[in-house]
Amino acid sequence: MKKSVYIYGGIAAVLLVLFVLLAVLLTCVDVRSAGDSQAEVGFATLNEAVFDALGQSEAALTLSKLCGIVIIAAVGAFGVTGLVQVIRRKGILRADAELYAMLGGLVLLAAAYVLFEVVVINCRPVLDEGELAASFPSSHTMLAISAAGMGTAYLIKVLKGAWRIASCVALNAAAAITVAGRLLGGVHWLTDIVGGCLYGLFIVFCYLAACRAIESIRTRNQ
């Protein structure tokens, strides 16, 4: 059990290093104006080639937004679950520890969102209501990946049978459509999506490491 904590923690560390490396490279490798917004972007040749090849799809963007709402609703449902557990078990610390670990993951997500609104690495390939908008990493992608990963791990623990399969498939399908829709919709560069995936997976593996640590503590206390 303890070994898996280190393995998941190690994977999380590697993902974070890769994310930081990507962010740094985007500030100095092939930086030039690109896209409809003519904003400066790193890896411009690659990003512009993908943007030009995929174009912009309003349908994909709309579908992405709808699936994003599903993801947010799922996160809200986990929050309500924790609140109900606190009330029924009569103690703020009596809710499942995995739900508190999930809350920690959301704090990491919020921290990244705030940081990259202040420290702008790249701007979107299209203008947002006539203005440049920060685009790295894709916040929708970070949320979708982290919520689906953490949610799947928790649902596998608490649900059984068809309910487990259906809920996990639905959650991950919504996440996949959200991520794909942000790219196909033409509102993000490829590297925005890659960065969002790396940071989202970093949160997931931090969560998995925390869950294994929780299980280890439970086993030791039994």
mmCIF file of all heavy atoms in Angstrom, residues 183-208:
data_model
loop_
_atom_site.group_PDB
_atom_site.id
_atom_site.type_symbol
_atom_site.label_atom_id
_atom_site.label_comp_id
_atom_site.label_asym_id
_atom_site.label_seq_id
_atom_site.Cartn_x
_atom_site.Cartn_y
_atom_site.Cartn_z
ATOM 1 N N LEU A 183 -10.736 22.124 -28.336
ATOM 2 C CA LEU A 183 -9.778 22.183 -29.441
ATOM 3 C C LEU A 183 -10.485 22.335 -30.778
ATOM 4 O O LEU A 183 -10.133 23.201 -31.590
ATOM 5 C CB LEU A 183 -8.911 20.920 -29.449
ATOM 6 C CG LEU A 183 -7.785 20.873 -30.485
ATOM 7 C CD1 LEU A 183 -6.796 22.020 -30.247
ATOM 8 C CD2 LEU A 183 -7.058 19.534 -30.431
ATOM 9 N N LEU A 184 -11.513 21.510 -31.018
ATOM 10 C CA LEU A 184 -12.239 21.560 -32.289
ATOM 11 C C LEU A 184 -13.035 22.855 -32.428
ATOM 12 O O LEU A 184 -13.311 23.303 -33.546
ATOM 13 C CB LEU A 184 -13.177 20.356 -32.401
ATOM 14 C CG LEU A 184 -12.501 18.985 -32.464
ATOM 15 C CD1 LEU A 184 -13.535 17.882 -32.423
ATOM 16 C CD2 LEU A 184 -11.650 18.872 -33.726
ATOM 17 N N GLY A 185 -13.388 23.447 -31.286
ATOM 18 C CA GLY A 185 -14.127 24.700 -31.332
ATOM 19 C C GLY A 185 -13.265 25.874 -31.743
ATOM 20 O O GLY A 185 -13.779 26.953 -32.055
ATOM 21 N N GLY A 186 -11.950 25.690 -31.713
ATOM 22 C CA GLY A 186 -11.030 26.727 -32.164
ATOM 23 C C GLY A 186 -10.765 27.824 -31.158
ATOM 24 O O GLY A 186 -10.280 28.894 -31.515
ATOM 25 N N VAL A 187 -11.057 27.570 -29.883
ATOM 26 C CA VAL A 187 -10.839 28.609 -28.865
ATOM 27 C C VAL A 187 -9.552 28.385 -28.073
ATOM 28 O O VAL A 187 -9.233 29.170 -27.171
ATOM 29 C CB VAL A 187 -12.041 28.705 -27.900
ATOM 30 C CG1 VAL A 187 -13.268 29.209 -28.626
ATOM 31 C CG2 VAL A 187 -12.316 27.355 -27.227
ATOM 32 N N HIS A 188 -8.846 27.309 -28.379
ATOM 33 C CA HIS A 188 -7.590 27.021 -27.682
ATOM 34 C C HIS A 188 -6.542 26.506 -28.659
ATOM 35 O O HIS A 188 -6.862 25.869 -29.663
ATOM 36 C CB HIS A 188 -7.791 25.976 -26.586
ATOM 37 C CG HIS A 188 -8.323 26.534 -25.316
ATOM 38 N ND1 HIS A 188 -7.577 27.327 -24.469
ATOM 39 C CD2 HIS A 188 -9.550 26.419 -24.736
ATOM 40 C CE1 HIS A 188 -8.313 27.671 -23.424
ATOM 41 N NE2 HIS A 188 -9.515 27.138 -23.568
ATOM 42 N N TRP A 189 -5.291 26.796 -28.343
ATOM 43 C CA TRP A 189 -4.168 26.199 -29.055
ATOM 44 C C TRP A 189 -3.988 24.762 -28.584
ATOM 45 O O TRP A 189 -4.410 24.407 -27.479
ATOM 46 C CB TRP A 189 -2.885 26.972 -28.778
ATOM 47 C CG TRP A 189 -2.900 28.420 -29.142
ATOM 48 C CD1 TRP A 189 -2.908 29.474 -28.282
ATOM 49 C CD2 TRP A 189 -2.887 28.976 -30.462
ATOM 50 N NE1 TRP A 189 -2.911 30.663 -28.978
ATOM 51 C CE2 TRP A 189 -2.892 30.387 -30.323
ATOM 52 C CE3 TRP A 189 -2.868 28.432 -31.755
ATOM 53 C CZ2 TRP A 189 -2.890 31.252 -31.417
ATOM 54 C CZ3 TRP A 189 -2.854 29.291 -32.850
ATOM 55 C CH2 TRP A 189 -2.862 30.679 -32.670
ATOM 56 N N LEU A 190 -3.326 23.963 -29.400
ATOM 57 C CA LEU A 190 -3.034 22.573 -29.024
ATOM 58 C C LEU A 190 -2.267 22.522 -27.701
ATOM 59 O O LEU A 190 -2.562 21.691 -26.828
ATOM 60 C CB LEU A 190 -2.223 21.888 -30.129
ATOM 61 C CG LEU A 190 -1.732 20.467 -29.812
ATOM 62 C CD1 LEU A 190 -2.909 19.529 -29.606
ATOM 63 C CD2 LEU A 190 -0.821 19.966 -30.933
ATOM 64 N N THR A 191 -1.290 23.409 -27.533
ATOM 65 C CA THR A 191 -0.482 23.382 -26.310
ATOM 66 C C THR A 191 -1.289 23.781 -25.074
ATOM 67 O O THR A 191 -0.943 23.387 -23.961
ATOM 68 C CB THR A 191 0.752 24.297 -26.444
ATOM 69 O OG1 THR A 191 0.345 25.589 -26.940
ATOM 70 C CG2 THR A 191 1.776 23.694 -27.386
ATOM 71 N N ASP A 192 -2.366 24.546 -25.259
ATOM 72 C CA ASP A 192 -3.258 24.851 -24.134
ATOM 73 C C ASP A 192 -3.921 23.576 -23.626
ATOM 74 O O ASP A 192 -4.055 23.356 -22.419
ATOM 75 C CB ASP A 192 -4.365 25.833 -24.561
ATOM 76 C CG ASP A 192 -3.827 27.172 -25.018
ATOM 77 O OD1 ASP A 192 -2.703 27.533 -24.627
ATOM 78 O OD2 ASP A 192 -4.548 27.857 -25.762
ATOM 79 N N ILE A 193 -4.345 22.743 -24.579
ATOM 80 C CA ILE A 193 -5.014 21.485 -24.240
ATOM 81 C C ILE A 193 -4.030 20.516 -23.589
ATOM 82 O O ILE A 193 -4.343 19.868 -22.582
ATOM 83 C CB ILE A 193 -5.631 20.839 -25.501
ATOM 84 C CG1 ILE A 193 -6.618 21.798 -26.174
ATOM 85 C CG2 ILE A 193 -6.307 19.524 -25.146
ATOM 86 C CD1 ILE A 193 -7.799 22.198 -25.333
ATOM 87 N N VAL A 194 -2.826 20.434 -24.175
ATOM 88 C CA VAL A 194 -1.799 19.546 -23.610
ATOM 89 C C VAL A 194 -1.460 19.981 -22.185
ATOM 90 O O VAL A 194 -1.367 19.150 -21.268
ATOM 91 C CB VAL A 194 -0.533 19.547 -24.483
ATOM 92 C CG1 VAL A 194 0.591 18.763 -23.797
ATOM 93 C CG2 VAL A 194 -0.834 18.941 -25.851
ATOM 94 N N GLY A 195 -1.300 21.286 -21.974
ATOM 95 C CA GLY A 195 -1.010 21.795 -20.645
ATOM 96 C C GLY A 195 -2.123 21.492 -19.672
ATOM 97 O O GLY A 195 -1.879 21.086 -18.520
ATOM 98 N N GLY A 196 -3.372 21.655 -20.119
ATOM 99 C CA GLY A 196 -4.512 21.344 -19.263
ATOM 100 C C GLY A 196 -4.561 19.872 -18.888
ATOM 101 O O GLY A 196 -4.881 19.512 -17.750
ATOM 102 N N CYS A 197 -4.237 19.005 -19.854
ATOM 103 C CA CYS A 197 -4.206 17.558 -19.582
ATOM 104 C C CYS A 197 -3.116 17.217 -18.563
ATOM 105 O O CYS A 197 -3.341 16.425 -17.634
ATOM 106 C CB CYS A 197 -3.974 16.779 -20.869
ATOM 107 S SG CYS A 197 -5.387 16.750 -21.995
ATOM 108 N N LEU A 198 -1.936 17.786 -18.740
ATOM 109 C CA LEU A 198 -0.825 17.502 -17.825
ATOM 110 C C LEU A 198 -1.168 17.931 -16.401
ATOM 111 O O LEU A 198 -0.955 17.163 -15.446
ATOM 112 C CB LEU A 198 0.447 18.218 -18.291
ATOM 113 C CG LEU A 198 1.144 17.652 -19.528
ATOM 114 C CD1 LEU A 198 2.282 18.572 -19.970
ATOM 115 C CD2 LEU A 198 1.678 16.250 -19.248
ATOM 116 N N TYR A 199 -1.705 19.141 -16.253
ATOM 117 C CA TYR A 199 -2.017 19.617 -14.904
ATOM 118 C C TYR A 199 -3.213 18.864 -14.318
ATOM 119 O O TYR A 199 -3.230 18.541 -13.124
ATOM 120 C CB TYR A 199 -2.287 21.116 -14.899
ATOM 121 C CG TYR A 199 -2.261 21.689 -13.495
ATOM 122 C CD1 TYR A 199 -1.046 22.006 -12.889
ATOM 123 C CD2 TYR A 199 -3.432 21.867 -12.769
ATOM 124 C CE1 TYR A 199 -1.007 22.497 -11.593
ATOM 125 C CE2 TYR A 199 -3.405 22.364 -11.478
ATOM 126 C CZ TYR A 199 -2.189 22.678 -10.890
ATOM 127 O OH TYR A 199 -2.159 23.162 -9.599
ATOM 128 N N GLY A 200 -4.201 18.548 -15.165
ATOM 129 C CA GLY A 200 -5.342 17.773 -14.688
ATOM 130 C C GLY A 200 -4.920 16.400 -14.197
ATOM 131 O O GLY A 200 -5.371 15.926 -13.141
ATOM 132 N N LEU A 201 -4.033 15.738 -14.948
ATOM 133 C CA LEU A 201 -3.536 14.424 -14.539
ATOM 134 C C LEU A 201 -2.659 14.524 -13.293
ATOM 135 O O LEU A 201 -2.642 13.604 -12.457
ATOM 136 C CB LEU A 201 -2.758 13.783 -15.689
ATOM 137 C CG LEU A 201 -3.611 13.286 -16.856
ATOM 138 C CD1 LEU A 201 -2.724 12.887 -18.037
ATOM 139 C CD2 LEU A 201 -4.490 12.119 -16.419
ATOM 140 N N PHE A 202 -1.924 15.622 -13.167
ATOM 141 C CA PHE A 202 -1.150 15.865 -11.940
ATOM 142 C C PHE A 202 -2.082 15.845 -10.726
ATOM 143 O O PHE A 202 -1.790 15.195 -9.706
ATOM 144 C CB PHE A 202 -0.427 17.206 -12.044
ATOM 145 C CG PHE A 202 -0.031 17.809 -10.727
ATOM 146 C CD1 PHE A 202 0.952 17.242 -9.934
ATOM 147 C CD2 PHE A 202 -0.683 18.953 -10.271
ATOM 148 C CE1 PHE A 202 1.292 17.795 -8.701
ATOM 149 C CE2 PHE A 202 -0.340 19.526 -9.046
ATOM 150 C CZ PHE A 202 0.645 18.940 -8.258
ATOM 151 N N ILE A 203 -3.217 16.520 -10.823
ATOM 152 C CA ILE A 203 -4.182 16.538 -9.724
ATOM 153 C C ILE A 203 -4.725 15.138 -9.460
ATOM 154 O O ILE A 203 -4.848 14.720 -8.303
ATOM 155 C CB ILE A 203 -5.331 17.510 -10.044
ATOM 156 C CG1 ILE A 203 -4.819 18.957 -10.058
ATOM 157 C CG2 ILE A 203 -6.468 17.360 -9.035
ATOM 158 C CD1 ILE A 203 -5.858 19.972 -10.490
ATOM 159 N N VAL A 204 -5.038 14.411 -10.529
ATOM 160 C CA VAL A 204 -5.579 13.056 -10.375
ATOM 161 C C VAL A 204 -4.607 12.158 -9.627
ATOM 162 O O VAL A 204 -4.997 11.428 -8.699
ATOM 163 C CB VAL A 204 -5.909 12.441 -11.762
ATOM 164 C CG1 VAL A 204 -6.267 10.958 -11.605
ATOM 165 C CG2 VAL A 204 -7.062 13.189 -12.416
ATOM 166 N N PHE A 205 -3.333 12.207 -9.988
ATOM 167 C CA PHE A 205 -2.364 11.324 -9.333
ATOM 168 C C PHE A 205 -2.049 11.781 -7.907
ATOM 169 O O PHE A 205 -1.732 10.956 -7.053
ATOM 170 C CB PHE A 205 -1.105 11.176 -10.184
ATOM 171 C CG PHE A 205 -1.268 10.170 -11.286
ATOM 172 C CD1 PHE A 205 -1.637 10.554 -12.568
ATOM 173 C CD2 PHE A 205 -1.084 8.817 -11.036
ATOM 174 C CE1 PHE A 205 -1.818 9.630 -13.575
ATOM 175 C CE2 PHE A 205 -1.262 7.866 -12.030
ATOM 176 C CZ PHE A 205 -1.632 8.275 -13.306
ATOM 177 N N CYS A 206 -2.152 13.084 -7.641
ATOM 178 C CA CYS A 206 -2.057 13.552 -6.258
ATOM 179 C C CYS A 206 -3.211 12.959 -5.442
ATOM 180 O O CYS A 206 -3.030 12.509 -4.310
ATOM 181 C CB CYS A 206 -2.115 15.080 -6.196
ATOM 182 S SG CYS A 206 -0.605 15.922 -6.680
ATOM 183 N N TYR A 207 -4.394 12.957 -6.047
ATOM 184 C CA TYR A 207 -5.582 12.401 -5.383
ATOM 185 C C TYR A 207 -5.419 10.904 -5.127
ATOM 186 O O TYR A 207 -5.715 10.410 -4.039
ATOM 187 C CB TYR A 207 -6.812 12.665 -6.245
ATOM 188 C CG TYR A 207 -8.073 12.030 -5.712
ATOM 189 C CD1 TYR A 207 -8.759 12.608 -4.653
ATOM 190 C CD2 TYR A 207 -8.582 10.860 -6.264
ATOM 191 C CE1 TYR A 207 -9.924 12.030 -4.160
ATOM 192 C CE2 TYR A 207 -9.736 10.273 -5.780
ATOM 193 C CZ TYR A 207 -10.409 10.869 -4.720
ATOM 194 O OH TYR A 207 -11.549 10.286 -4.221
ATOM 195 N N LEU A 208 -4.942 10.180 -6.133
ATOM 196 C CA LEU A 208 -4.750 8.734 -5.972
ATOM 197 C C LEU A 208 -3.731 8.428 -4.884
ATOM 198 O O LEU A 208 -3.904 7.486 -4.090
ATOM 199 C CB LEU A 208 -4.311 8.116 -7.297
ATOM 200 C CG LEU A 208 -5.349 8.128 -8.422
ATOM 201 C CD1 LEU A 208 -4.737 7.602 -9.715
ATOM 202 C CD2 LEU A 208 -6.575 7.309 -8.036
#
